[in-house]
Each structure stands twice: as structure tokens, then as C-alpha cells.
Amino acid sequence: MSLTKQLQNFAGTAVAKARDAGLPVDDAQAYYSDRIEPLLIKKISRFIIPFVRRSGVKVLELESGHVLCEMPIKGNVNHIGTMYAGALFTLAEFPGGPLMLATFGMRRFIPIVTALDMEFLKVAKSNVRIELNMSAEQARAIEAETLEHGKAEFVLEGELVNAEGEIVARSLAKYQMRPRRR
Amino acid sequence: MSLTKQLQNFAGTAVAKARDAGLPVDDAQAYYSDRIEPLLIKKISRFIIPFVRRSGVKVLELESGHVLCEMPIKGNVNHIGTMYAGALFTLAEFPGGPLMLATFGMRRFIPIVTALDMEFLKVAKSNVRIELNMSAEQARAIEAETLEHGKAEFVLEGELVNAEGEIVARSLAKYQMRPRRR
């Protein structure tokens, strides 16, 4: 069973229990969506894709519209001892999934990455972080367009920052959002 | 000691032995550069960067101006069982190094990747290959510009192809060539 399916089942059980206990179901559902799901995604997402897990990247912060991830330099150096370009790419690509799950939930939409442009500005000799943000306005516009037209195109731009706060790389990811097939 | 250094030492020893044995040194040097070095790079290059080694990518063909690499689907799937975008990026990025070592040798120049744009066209459900080629004319132009101006900018375009020969992704890598510091 896929992780999404497992989490959906878990969500269903949690909401049913809340209903049985006489709690307002909408509140229970909202609590689950807003609090429990992002926490699960934050803890679990990096283990889903073996390639990502092997890199050692971690989700440090995750909430609706915001994700912060860190790639360790350990195990990810290139032939000159700085962070390998593929590790920087993975740091730029991977957080988009958790961000969108935390922002749009796991039931309605599927984001597909259609392009990712990396610009390498400086060698990275430390752990590297990326923060991706999506405003509520942008999320609402994507949601509305996906529901109306069956898809929506959008971009997420990221700055990859070393331990000294210097930008070592920039990323521009292009996504297409589609409704999940029932 | 870096691998480059080790190989340079090995090259020096091989050439010295050829000289001692009364062989024409130029021929020995040329043979080493043209035959032995590419073979060593082909076999060894993927082990230099742990991130690349972990992906299981292999150099299938390598000679001056030509490289063919393959990324296994095994161990590199994403959450829907197709090849993870980071594995496709690594397949596009990694071969540039061996190609340039085999084309320009290991002593004179250092290529730096300054940008890499990936376009994802189709999910990949099999091993994926990339072939990168650099014509002798392009190589000579890069060499001349690097020697004259201290650097040269150039691009390498790649098509990532599945087992059925379909293009699953395209890559555009931007490089800067610089003279190696003595």
C-alpha cells in the first residue's frame, strides 16, 4: 500500500474516532489536515524515495506554504571536496513535494515537476539549506486554475544557502498541478 | 592524494619506463593519453564522487569527444516507481567530467559546471542512457579560447533516453573551462 493510501486510511480512522467520541468532525478533520499530516510528511517524506534518503537530506520545518530543508556536506562531496551538484539539485527538487502536500493536502492534487534549472554560483563547503515558500494567494490561484482547467502551471524559485548565509546556487522549478484521479 | 594526482604520477612513471626502455617518449605519452587514461577514467570516475557511486550509474563508452552512460532504474525510483528526477539530473551531470578528461586530458584544464537545466518530458520506467558528444572543432575552439583568454564558456546538450529509445528528459549544461593552476 502506498504511503499516501496508508495516511489516508489513518486520517479516515482518526476522523471516525473523533466522530464516535462526539467531537465535531470538521474540527477533527481540520486538525488532522493542519497538524498531523504535515508532521507525518515532515518525518516520513525523505524515506519514500531511496535516492533522497541516501543523500541524508532532512526536512527541518514544514507547514502550509513553507518548507526548510538541509543537505549535509557529509557523504555528498565531489572530487574537490565541495558539495556535489547532484546533491544541490536534490536539495532543490525534493522539498517541493512535502511543501505541496502540506499546502494542498494529499487527496486532491498531484504536482508534477516538468523542469528544473540549477545555477551554480559558488562552491559549497558546508551543509546547505533551502527554504521554499508559497503564499496563500498563489496556492489559491493554483487551486482555482486546477479545478477549472484540469491543470495549472506554476514555478517555485529557491536559493541554496551555505552555513555562512551565502547563496551557493539558485533553482527554478516548473510544476504542473493536476487533479488526482479518483 | 587526489585521483588526478595519482593518475598523473602513474602517467609519469609509465612514460619514464618507456623512455628507459628506449621507446619513443612521445609515442608512449600519446599512447598513455589516448588509450590508458580514458580506460582508467571510464572504470574509476564513478567511484570518485560517493553521491554518483551510490546511484549506480555506469560509463559504458568513453573516448575523446564521446561518452555514453547508463543510470539503473533499480534503487533510483521515486514514490510512483519511475526514475527519480535527481537520478536523471545525476545522469545528465556526471558524464561531463569523464568526457572532458578524455577529450582534453587531465593536466591542462579544469571544467566547472555553472548551470544545468533539466526538462522532464516523460516518466522513465527503465534504465536510462545519455550520450554526450563534443566535436574535434568544438574541442579545439574551447582549447584555443581558454589558452588565449584564461577561460571559455560552452554548453553540452543531452537527451536522456529510456530502454525503448524514447526521450524522457533533456539537459542543457553550461560549463566554464579554466586552465589548471600549476
Side-chain angles (χ1 to χ4, degrees):
Chain A
M1 199 181 343
S2 74
L3 179 84
T4 306
K5 205 76 189 164
Q6 287 180 50
L7 289 179
Q8 281 175 7
N9 289 354
F10 178 67
T13 310
V15 171
K17 277 188 184 168
R19 190 191 293 116
D20 293 348
L23 288 175
V25 173
D26 283 355
D27 285 0
Q29 205 139 26
Y31 183 81
Y32 181 81
S33 298
D34 296 350
R35 303 285 167 194
I36 309 295
E37 262 187 20
L39 196 69
L40 287 171
I41 298 163
K42 179 178 167 184
K43 294 293 179 197
I44 294 171
S45 55
R46 71 191 181 100
F47 295 108
I48 305 305
I49 303 175
F51 192 98
V52 171
R53 181 182 48 71
R54 294 194 302 259
S55 75
V57 68
K58 282 192 181 152
V59 181
L60 302 181
E61 296 175 7
L62 180 68
E63 57 194 73
S64 180
H66 168 76
V67 63
L68 174 66
C69 286
E70 183 172 86
M71 180 66 76
I73 182 80
K74 194 181 167 196
N76 291 314
V77 290
N78 58 22
H79 57 297
I80 57 165
T82 65
M83 193 174 284
Y84 173 58
L88 293 169
F89 175 94
T90 301
L91 177 62
E93 196 285 331
F94 158 68
L99 173 65
M100 283 184 244
L101 287 172
T103 306
F104 296 100
M106 300 201 292
R107 290 167 198 79
R108 302 183 303 151
F109 302 125
I110 300 177
I112 299 157
V113 61
T114 57
L116 204 158
D117 299 348
M118 292 295 298
E119 190 184 1
F120 303 104
L121 304 171
K122 198 176 162 68
V123 295
K125 299 174 182 174
S126 67
N127 292 1
V128 178
R129 292 185 176 196
I130 191 171
E131 185 185 332
L132 297 177
N133 293 293
M134 177 177 280
S135 70
E137 291 69 34
Q138 192 184 6
R140 274 195 290 269
I142 292 164
E143 183 175 359
E145 193 179 333
T146 306
L147 292 174
E148 191 178 337
H149 300 289
K151 64 178 180 180
E153 317 265 351
F154 63 99
V155 301
L156 280 181
E157 290 184 78
E159 290 177 346
L160 292 81
V161 175
N162 68 12
E164 284 73 45
E166 299 162 316
I167 300 171
V168 297
R170 288 182 204 279
S171 63
L172 177 73
K174 293 174 193 166
Y175 291 91
Q176 190 178 91
M177 191 67 97
R178 292 197 187 165
R180 187 177 286 277
R181 289 190 205 115
R182 299 277 166 186
Chain B
M1 201 180 343
S2 73
L3 180 85
T4 307
K5 207 78 191 164
Q6 287 181 50
L7 289 178
Q8 282 175 4
N9 289 355
F10 178 69
T13 310
V15 171
K17 277 188 182 166
R19 189 191 293 114
D20 292 348
L23 288 174
V25 172
D26 283 356
D27 285 1
Q29 204 139 26
Y31 183 82
Y32 180 83
S33 297
D34 296 349
R35 303 285 167 195
I36 308 295
E37 261 186 21
L39 196 69
L40 286 172
I41 298 162
K42 179 178 166 183
K43 294 292 179 197
I44 295 171
S45 54
R46 72 192 181 98
F47 295 108
I48 306 306
I49 303 176
F51 192 98
V52 172
R53 179 182 49 71
R54 293 193 300 258
S55 75
V57 67
K58 280 189 183 153
V59 181
L60 302 180
E61 297 175 7
L62 181 67
E63 57 194 75
S64 180
H66 169 76
V67 64
L68 174 66
C69 287
E70 183 171 86
M71 180 67 75
I73 181 80
K74 195 182 166 195
N76 291 314
V77 291
N78 57 23
H79 58 296
I80 57 164
T82 64
M83 192 175 284
Y84 173 58
L88 293 169
F89 174 94
T90 301
L91 177 61
E93 196 284 332
F94 158 69
L99 172 65
M100 283 181 242
L101 287 173
T103 306
F104 296 101
M106 298 201 292
R107 290 169 198 75
R108 302 183 302 151
F109 302 126
I110 299 176
I112 299 158
V113 61
T114 58
L116 204 158
D117 299 349
M118 292 295 298
E119 191 185 1
F120 303 104
L121 304 171
K122 198 176 161 68
V123 295
K125 299 173 182 174
S126 67
N127 292 0
V128 177
R129 291 185 176 194
I130 192 171
E131 185 185 334
L132 296 177
N133 293 294
M134 177 178 280
S135 69
E137 291 69 35
Q138 191 183 4
R140 274 194 292 270
I142 292 165
E143 182 175 359
E145 193 178 334
T146 306
L147 292 175
E148 191 178 336
H149 300 289
K151 64 178 180 180
E153 317 264 352
F154 62 99
V155 302
L156 280 180
E157 289 184 79
E159 291 177 347
L160 292 82
V161 174
N162 68 12
E164 285 73 45
E166 298 163 316
I167 299 172
V168 297
R170 289 181 203 280
S171 63
L172 177 73
K174 294 174 192 166
Y175 290 91
Q176 190 177 91
M177 191 67 97
R178 293 200 186 163
R180 188 178 284 278
R181 290 191 205 113
R182 299 278 164 183

